[in-house]
Short mmCIF file of all heavy atoms in Angstrom, two decimals:
data_model
loop_
_atom_site.label_atom_id
_atom_site.label_comp_id
_atom_site.label_asym_id
_atom_site.label_seq_id
_atom_site.Cartn_x
_atom_site.Cartn_y
_atom_site.Cartn_z
N MET A 1 239.43 307.20 279.29
CA MET A 1 239.37 308.42 278.47
C MET A 1 238.09 308.48 277.69
O MET A 1 237.71 307.50 277.05
CB MET A 1 240.61 308.48 277.58
CG MET A 1 240.87 309.74 276.87
SD MET A 1 240.10 309.76 275.26
CE MET A 1 240.75 308.30 274.52
N ASP A 2 237.39 309.58 277.79
CA ASP A 2 236.10 309.76 277.11
C ASP A 2 236.33 310.45 275.76
O ASP A 2 236.70 311.62 275.72
CB ASP A 2 235.19 310.60 278.01
CG ASP A 2 233.84 310.92 277.38
OD1 ASP A 2 233.58 310.43 276.25
OD2 ASP A 2 233.09 311.61 278.02
N LYS A 3 236.11 309.72 274.66
CA LYS A 3 236.41 310.25 273.32
C LYS A 3 235.39 311.35 272.94
O LYS A 3 235.61 312.02 271.93
CB LYS A 3 236.44 309.12 272.28
CG LYS A 3 237.71 308.35 272.36
CD LYS A 3 237.76 307.32 271.25
CE LYS A 3 237.87 307.87 269.87
NZ LYS A 3 239.16 308.46 269.55
N SER A 4 234.31 311.57 273.71
CA SER A 4 233.43 312.62 273.37
C SER A 4 233.90 313.92 274.00
O SER A 4 233.39 315.03 273.71
CB SER A 4 231.98 312.33 273.89
OG SER A 4 231.98 312.32 275.25
N ASN A 5 234.92 313.88 274.85
CA ASN A 5 235.48 315.07 275.45
C ASN A 5 236.28 315.90 274.44
O ASN A 5 237.09 315.36 273.68
CB ASN A 5 236.45 314.68 276.61
CG ASN A 5 237.01 315.93 277.29
OD1 ASN A 5 236.26 316.82 277.67
ND2 ASN A 5 238.30 315.95 277.49
N LYS A 6 235.91 317.20 274.34
CA LYS A 6 236.68 318.09 273.46
C LYS A 6 237.49 319.04 274.37
O LYS A 6 236.92 319.90 275.00
CB LYS A 6 235.76 318.97 272.62
CG LYS A 6 234.99 318.25 271.56
CD LYS A 6 234.09 319.21 270.82
CE LYS A 6 233.16 318.44 269.87
NZ LYS A 6 232.14 319.28 269.26
N ASN A 7 238.78 318.84 274.36
CA ASN A 7 239.64 319.76 275.14
C ASN A 7 239.93 320.97 274.25
O ASN A 7 240.78 320.88 273.32
CB ASN A 7 240.90 319.05 275.58
CG ASN A 7 241.72 319.97 276.50
OD1 ASN A 7 241.60 321.19 276.46
ND2 ASN A 7 242.56 319.40 277.35
N HIS A 8 239.25 322.06 274.49
CA HIS A 8 239.39 323.24 273.61
C HIS A 8 240.74 323.88 273.76
O HIS A 8 241.10 324.76 272.97
CB HIS A 8 238.23 324.24 273.92
CG HIS A 8 236.90 323.72 273.38
ND1 HIS A 8 236.42 324.03 272.16
CD2 HIS A 8 235.98 322.92 274.00
CE1 HIS A 8 235.24 323.39 272.02
NE2 HIS A 8 235.00 322.73 273.12
N SER A 9 241.52 323.45 274.73
CA SER A 9 242.85 323.99 274.89
C SER A 9 243.87 323.19 274.07
O SER A 9 245.03 323.61 273.95
CB SER A 9 243.30 323.96 276.34
OG SER A 9 242.48 324.76 277.10
N ILE A 10 243.44 322.06 273.49
CA ILE A 10 244.37 321.19 272.75
C ILE A 10 243.68 320.92 271.36
O ILE A 10 242.95 319.91 271.21
CB ILE A 10 244.73 319.84 273.43
CG1 ILE A 10 245.26 320.11 274.86
CG2 ILE A 10 245.83 319.16 272.60
CD1 ILE A 10 245.51 318.90 275.66
N LYS A 11 243.97 321.75 270.37
CA LYS A 11 243.47 321.52 269.07
C LYS A 11 244.36 320.49 268.37
O LYS A 11 245.61 320.54 268.46
CB LYS A 11 243.44 322.81 268.22
CG LYS A 11 242.47 323.82 268.81
CD LYS A 11 242.16 324.87 267.77
CE LYS A 11 242.89 326.15 268.06
NZ LYS A 11 242.61 327.22 267.07
N CYS A 12 243.74 319.55 267.66
CA CYS A 12 244.54 318.49 267.00
C CYS A 12 243.77 317.91 265.82
O CYS A 12 242.54 317.76 265.93
CB CYS A 12 244.85 317.38 268.03
SG CYS A 12 245.85 316.07 267.29
N THR A 13 244.44 317.64 264.73
CA THR A 13 243.84 317.05 263.52
C THR A 13 244.25 315.64 263.30
O THR A 13 243.97 315.08 262.25
CB THR A 13 244.15 317.92 262.29
OG1 THR A 13 245.56 318.01 262.16
CG2 THR A 13 243.57 319.32 262.42
N VAL A 14 245.00 315.04 264.20
CA VAL A 14 245.50 313.67 264.03
C VAL A 14 244.45 312.67 264.42
O VAL A 14 244.43 312.14 265.54
CB VAL A 14 246.81 313.48 264.80
CG1 VAL A 14 247.43 312.15 264.50
CG2 VAL A 14 247.84 314.59 264.54
N ASP A 15 243.52 312.42 263.51
CA ASP A 15 242.40 311.55 263.90
C ASP A 15 242.74 310.05 263.85
O ASP A 15 241.92 309.22 264.11
CB ASP A 15 241.12 311.89 263.15
CG ASP A 15 241.31 311.90 261.68
OD1 ASP A 15 242.34 311.39 261.20
OD2 ASP A 15 240.38 312.40 261.01
N SER A 16 244.01 309.74 263.45
CA SER A 16 244.45 308.37 263.55
C SER A 16 244.99 308.05 264.99
O SER A 16 245.51 306.97 265.23
CB SER A 16 245.53 308.02 262.55
OG SER A 16 246.67 308.83 262.77
N CYS A 17 244.83 309.03 265.89
CA CYS A 17 245.27 308.81 267.26
C CYS A 17 244.10 308.31 268.12
O CYS A 17 242.98 308.87 268.00
CB CYS A 17 245.84 310.11 267.85
SG CYS A 17 246.30 310.00 269.55
N LYS A 18 244.35 307.38 268.95
CA LYS A 18 243.35 306.81 269.86
C LYS A 18 242.75 307.89 270.82
O LYS A 18 241.63 307.73 271.29
CB LYS A 18 244.04 305.71 270.69
CG LYS A 18 243.17 304.73 271.35
CD LYS A 18 243.95 303.81 272.27
CE LYS A 18 244.80 302.82 271.53
NZ LYS A 18 245.40 301.81 272.42
N ASN A 19 243.51 308.93 271.07
CA ASN A 19 243.09 309.95 272.04
C ASN A 19 242.37 311.13 271.40
O ASN A 19 242.05 312.10 272.07
CB ASN A 19 244.31 310.45 272.82
CG ASN A 19 244.96 309.33 273.59
OD1 ASN A 19 244.27 308.53 274.19
ND2 ASN A 19 246.27 309.29 273.58
N HIS A 20 242.11 311.02 270.07
CA HIS A 20 241.47 312.11 269.33
C HIS A 20 239.98 312.12 269.68
O HIS A 20 239.33 311.07 269.80
CB HIS A 20 241.68 311.95 267.87
CG HIS A 20 241.40 313.19 267.09
ND1 HIS A 20 240.20 313.44 266.42
CD2 HIS A 20 242.18 314.29 266.85
CE1 HIS A 20 240.24 314.63 265.86
NE2 HIS A 20 241.45 315.15 266.05
N CYS A 21 239.43 313.30 269.85
CA CYS A 21 237.97 313.47 270.05
C CYS A 21 237.19 312.86 268.88
O CYS A 21 237.64 312.98 267.72
CB CYS A 21 237.72 314.98 270.12
SG CYS A 21 236.01 315.41 270.12
N ASP A 22 236.08 312.26 269.16
CA ASP A 22 235.34 311.59 268.06
C ASP A 22 234.50 312.56 267.23
O ASP A 22 233.88 312.19 266.25
CB ASP A 22 234.56 310.39 268.58
CG ASP A 22 233.51 310.75 269.67
OD1 ASP A 22 233.33 311.94 269.86
OD2 ASP A 22 232.98 309.83 270.28
N SER A 23 234.40 313.81 267.62
CA SER A 23 233.65 314.81 266.83
C SER A 23 234.34 316.17 266.98
O SER A 23 234.16 316.86 267.99
CB SER A 23 232.19 314.89 267.24
OG SER A 23 232.11 315.33 268.55
N GLY A 24 235.19 316.53 266.00
CA GLY A 24 235.86 317.81 266.07
C GLY A 24 237.35 317.65 266.14
O GLY A 24 237.81 316.56 266.46
N ALA A 25 238.04 318.75 265.82
CA ALA A 25 239.53 318.65 265.71
C ALA A 25 240.13 319.03 267.06
O ALA A 25 240.81 320.06 267.22
CB ALA A 25 239.98 319.61 264.63
N TYR A 26 239.89 318.15 268.04
CA TYR A 26 240.41 318.38 269.42
C TYR A 26 240.96 317.05 269.97
O TYR A 26 240.56 315.99 269.54
CB TYR A 26 239.31 318.86 270.34
CG TYR A 26 238.77 320.23 269.93
CD1 TYR A 26 237.60 320.30 269.24
CD2 TYR A 26 239.43 321.40 270.29
CE1 TYR A 26 237.11 321.55 268.83
CE2 TYR A 26 238.94 322.64 269.88
CZ TYR A 26 237.73 322.70 269.16
OH TYR A 26 237.28 323.89 268.80
N CYS A 27 241.83 317.23 270.96
CA CYS A 27 242.31 316.09 271.72
C CYS A 27 241.26 315.86 272.83
O CYS A 27 240.65 316.77 273.34
CB CYS A 27 243.65 316.42 272.33
SG CYS A 27 244.38 315.02 273.23
N ALA A 28 241.08 314.56 273.17
CA ALA A 28 240.13 314.21 274.23
C ALA A 28 240.79 314.09 275.60
O ALA A 28 240.15 313.97 276.60
CB ALA A 28 239.46 312.90 273.89
N LEU A 29 242.09 314.15 275.64
CA LEU A 29 242.83 314.06 276.89
C LEU A 29 242.74 315.37 277.67
O LEU A 29 242.59 316.47 277.05
CB LEU A 29 244.29 313.70 276.67
CG LEU A 29 244.57 312.36 276.04
CD1 LEU A 29 246.08 312.18 275.78
CD2 LEU A 29 244.03 311.22 276.87
N SER A 30 242.94 315.36 278.99
CA SER A 30 242.97 316.60 279.75
C SER A 30 244.33 317.31 279.65
O SER A 30 244.43 318.53 279.84
CB SER A 30 242.63 316.31 281.23
OG SER A 30 243.56 315.38 281.74
N GLN A 31 245.37 316.52 279.34
CA GLN A 31 246.68 317.09 279.10
C GLN A 31 247.48 316.15 278.19
O GLN A 31 247.14 315.02 278.06
CB GLN A 31 247.43 317.32 280.43
CG GLN A 31 247.68 316.04 281.19
CD GLN A 31 248.49 316.24 282.49
OE1 GLN A 31 248.66 317.37 282.90
NE2 GLN A 31 249.01 315.15 283.05
N ILE A 32 248.50 316.68 277.54
CA ILE A 32 249.35 315.91 276.67
C ILE A 32 250.80 316.20 276.98
O ILE A 32 251.09 317.21 277.66
CB ILE A 32 249.12 316.18 275.14
CG1 ILE A 32 249.35 317.66 274.80
CG2 ILE A 32 247.75 315.73 274.73
CD1 ILE A 32 249.44 317.94 273.32
N GLN A 33 251.67 315.34 276.49
CA GLN A 33 253.15 315.54 276.63
C GLN A 33 253.65 315.88 275.24
O GLN A 33 253.43 315.10 274.30
CB GLN A 33 253.81 314.29 277.16
CG GLN A 33 255.31 314.40 277.26
CD GLN A 33 255.77 315.36 278.35
OE1 GLN A 33 255.30 315.25 279.45
NE2 GLN A 33 256.61 316.28 277.98
N VAL A 34 254.34 316.99 275.11
CA VAL A 34 255.00 317.36 273.82
C VAL A 34 256.54 317.23 274.06
O VAL A 34 257.05 317.64 275.11
CB VAL A 34 254.63 318.78 273.37
CG1 VAL A 34 255.42 319.19 272.13
CG2 VAL A 34 253.14 318.86 273.12
N GLY A 35 257.19 316.66 273.06
CA GLY A 35 258.64 316.53 273.19
C GLY A 35 259.28 316.62 271.79
O GLY A 35 258.69 317.12 270.83
N THR A 36 260.49 316.16 271.69
CA THR A 36 261.20 316.22 270.43
C THR A 36 262.05 314.96 270.24
O THR A 36 262.45 314.34 271.23
CB THR A 36 262.11 317.49 270.31
OG1 THR A 36 262.70 317.51 269.04
CG2 THR A 36 263.19 317.49 271.39
N HIS A 37 262.30 314.65 268.98
CA HIS A 37 263.17 313.53 268.63
C HIS A 37 264.52 314.04 268.13
O HIS A 37 265.37 313.30 267.63
CB HIS A 37 262.54 312.65 267.58
CG HIS A 37 262.08 313.42 266.38
ND1 HIS A 37 260.84 314.07 266.31
CD2 HIS A 37 262.70 313.72 265.21
CE1 HIS A 37 260.76 314.69 265.14
NE2 HIS A 37 261.89 314.51 264.49
N GLU A 38 264.74 315.39 268.21
CA GLU A 38 265.94 316.01 267.69
C GLU A 38 266.83 316.51 268.86
O GLU A 38 266.31 316.79 269.93
CB GLU A 38 265.59 317.24 266.84
CG GLU A 38 264.67 316.95 265.70
CD GLU A 38 265.38 316.34 264.48
OE1 GLU A 38 266.62 316.31 264.46
OE2 GLU A 38 264.67 315.93 263.57
N LYS A 39 268.08 316.66 268.62
CA LYS A 39 269.00 317.22 269.61
C LYS A 39 268.78 318.75 269.77
O LYS A 39 268.81 319.25 270.83
CB LYS A 39 270.43 316.97 269.24
CG LYS A 39 271.00 315.63 269.69
CD LYS A 39 272.48 315.61 269.60
CE LYS A 39 272.94 314.20 270.01
NZ LYS A 39 274.19 313.84 269.39
N ASN A 40 268.61 319.38 268.62
CA ASN A 40 268.45 320.84 268.61
C ASN A 40 267.19 321.19 267.75
O ASN A 40 267.39 321.58 266.60
CB ASN A 40 269.70 321.58 268.10
CG ASN A 40 270.87 321.36 269.00
OD1 ASN A 40 270.85 321.72 270.17
ND2 ASN A 40 271.88 320.65 268.49
N PRO A 41 266.03 321.07 268.27
CA PRO A 41 264.84 321.30 267.42
C PRO A 41 264.79 322.74 266.93
O PRO A 41 265.01 323.69 267.65
CB PRO A 41 263.65 321.07 268.44
CG PRO A 41 264.28 321.04 269.77
CD PRO A 41 265.67 320.70 269.62
N ALA A 42 264.51 322.86 265.60
CA ALA A 42 264.53 324.15 264.95
C ALA A 42 263.27 324.46 264.14
O ALA A 42 263.08 325.59 263.70
CB ALA A 42 265.76 324.30 264.05
N LYS A 43 262.42 323.46 263.97
CA LYS A 43 261.21 323.62 263.15
C LYS A 43 260.10 322.87 263.84
O LYS A 43 260.31 321.99 264.64
CB LYS A 43 261.38 323.05 261.75
CG LYS A 43 262.54 323.64 260.93
CD LYS A 43 262.42 323.11 259.52
CE LYS A 43 263.35 321.92 259.34
NZ LYS A 43 263.48 321.51 257.93
N ASP A 44 258.85 323.22 263.46
CA ASP A 44 257.71 322.54 264.08
C ASP A 44 257.77 321.06 263.79
O ASP A 44 257.34 320.25 264.61
CB ASP A 44 256.36 323.16 263.59
CG ASP A 44 256.17 323.21 262.12
OD1 ASP A 44 257.13 322.94 261.37
OD2 ASP A 44 255.05 323.48 261.70
N GLN A 45 258.34 320.66 262.63
CA GLN A 45 258.42 319.23 262.31
C GLN A 45 259.34 318.46 263.28
O GLN A 45 259.32 317.26 263.27
CB GLN A 45 259.00 319.04 260.92
CG GLN A 45 258.03 319.47 259.80
CD GLN A 45 258.35 320.94 259.37
OE1 GLN A 45 258.79 321.74 260.17
NE2 GLN A 45 258.12 321.22 258.13
N CYS A 46 260.11 319.19 264.06
CA CYS A 46 261.04 318.53 265.01
C CYS A 46 260.29 318.13 266.32
O CYS A 46 260.90 317.46 267.15
CB CYS A 46 262.17 319.44 265.38
SG CYS A 46 263.16 319.97 263.97
N THR A 47 259.08 318.58 266.50
CA THR A 47 258.39 318.31 267.76
C THR A 47 257.35 317.21 267.62
O THR A 47 256.87 316.97 266.48
CB THR A 47 257.71 319.63 268.30
OG1 THR A 47 256.66 319.99 267.40
CG2 THR A 47 258.69 320.77 268.41
N ASP A 48 257.03 316.56 268.65
CA ASP A 48 256.18 315.40 268.64
C ASP A 48 255.13 315.48 269.77
O ASP A 48 255.52 315.89 270.86
CB ASP A 48 256.94 314.12 268.84
CG ASP A 48 258.11 313.98 267.89
OD1 ASP A 48 257.85 313.91 266.67
OD2 ASP A 48 259.25 313.97 268.36
N CYS A 49 253.93 315.00 269.47
CA CYS A 49 253.01 314.73 270.57
C CYS A 49 253.38 313.33 271.08
O CYS A 49 253.15 312.36 270.40
CB CYS A 49 251.55 314.73 270.12
SG CYS A 49 250.49 314.28 271.50
N GLN A 50 253.88 313.28 272.28
CA GLN A 50 254.33 311.99 272.85
C GLN A 50 253.20 311.27 273.54
O GLN A 50 253.39 310.17 274.09
CB GLN A 50 255.54 312.22 273.75
CG GLN A 50 256.72 312.72 272.97
CD GLN A 50 257.93 313.06 273.81
OE1 GLN A 50 257.84 313.31 274.97
NE2 GLN A 50 259.10 313.01 273.17
N SER A 51 251.98 311.83 273.50
CA SER A 51 250.77 311.13 274.03
C SER A 51 250.07 310.42 272.87
O SER A 51 249.05 309.79 273.15
CB SER A 51 249.84 312.17 274.71
OG SER A 51 250.51 312.82 275.76
N PHE A 52 250.58 310.53 271.68
CA PHE A 52 249.97 309.87 270.51
C PHE A 52 249.93 308.35 270.74
O PHE A 52 250.89 307.75 271.15
CB PHE A 52 250.77 310.15 269.26
CG PHE A 52 250.38 309.35 268.07
CD1 PHE A 52 249.29 309.75 267.29
CD2 PHE A 52 251.02 308.14 267.76
CE1 PHE A 52 248.89 308.99 266.18
CE2 PHE A 52 250.61 307.40 266.64
CZ PHE A 52 249.54 307.82 265.88
N GLU A 53 248.79 307.74 270.38
CA GLU A 53 248.66 306.26 270.40
C GLU A 53 247.91 305.94 269.12
O GLU A 53 246.82 306.42 268.88
CB GLU A 53 247.86 305.79 271.60
CG GLU A 53 248.52 305.99 272.92
CD GLU A 53 247.71 305.41 274.06
OE1 GLU A 53 247.70 304.18 274.28
OE2 GLU A 53 246.94 306.21 274.68
N ALA A 54 248.47 305.04 268.36
CA ALA A 54 247.88 304.69 267.08
C ALA A 54 246.53 303.97 267.35
O ALA A 54 246.38 303.23 268.35
CB ALA A 54 248.78 303.75 266.27
N THR A 55 245.58 304.13 266.45
CA THR A 55 244.25 303.46 266.59
C THR A 55 244.33 302.02 266.23
O THR A 55 243.38 301.28 266.54
CB THR A 55 243.22 304.20 265.72
OG1 THR A 55 243.70 304.30 264.42
CG2 THR A 55 242.86 305.52 266.28
N TRP A 56 245.37 301.57 265.56
CA TRP A 56 245.45 300.17 265.19
C TRP A 56 246.52 299.46 265.96
O TRP A 56 247.37 300.05 266.59
CB TRP A 56 245.73 300.05 263.69
CG TRP A 56 246.95 300.78 263.26
CD1 TRP A 56 248.23 300.25 263.24
CD2 TRP A 56 247.03 302.08 262.76
NE1 TRP A 56 249.13 301.22 262.77
CE2 TRP A 56 248.42 302.34 262.46
CE3 TRP A 56 246.14 303.12 262.52
CZ2 TRP A 56 248.85 303.61 261.99
CZ3 TRP A 56 246.61 304.33 262.04
CH2 TRP A 56 247.97 304.54 261.78
S1 LIG B 101 247.27 312.61 272.08
FE1 LIG B 101 248.36 314.04 270.73
S2 LIG B 101 248.14 313.28 268.67
FE2 LIG B 101 246.65 312.26 269.96
S3 LIG B 101 244.72 313.40 269.74
FE3 LIG B 101 245.81 314.19 271.55
S4 LIG B 101 247.06 315.91 270.80
FE4 LIG B 101 246.43 314.71 269.01
#
C-alpha cells in the first residue's frame, strides 16, 4: 500500500491508522470495508471502518 496515494473517494481523518494517506485527509487504500459492532445500528457512532489498522 502506497501511503502517498490519496483516494479522493474515501475521506478520512483517522491519522492513527496505518492506511491513512501521509499528506491530506484521505485513505490510501483503493477500497475499505465498513461494518458495525451493533445489532441495530442507529447512529454514525455505531459504524466502524473495519480496514483500520493501528500505527503502533
Ligand atoms: S482504513 Fe479506514 S480508518 Fe484507516 S485511513 Fe482508511 S478509511 Fe481511515
Side-chain angles (χ1 to χ4, degrees):
M1 188 269 307
D2 177 2
K3 284 184 67 72
S4 68
N5 183 48
K6 289 180 190 172
N7 185 336
H8 289 268
S9 298
I10 309 176
K11 295 199 255 180
C12 180
T13 57
V14 186
D15 54 13
S16 63
C17 176
K18 198 187 288 188
N19 299 318
H20 197 262
C21 170
D22 58 10
S23 62
Y26 297 97
C27 184
L29 297 177
S30 57
Q31 60 178 15
I32 60 166
Q33 177 70 50
V34 176
T36 183
H37 53 273
E38 303 281 350
K39 275 194 182 153
N40 296 298
K43 301 188 265 189
D44 56 348
Q45 293 94 329
C46 301
T47 65
D48 306 298
C49 176
Q50 296 177 336
S51 300
F52 171 85
E53 292 182 80
T55 50
W56 57 87

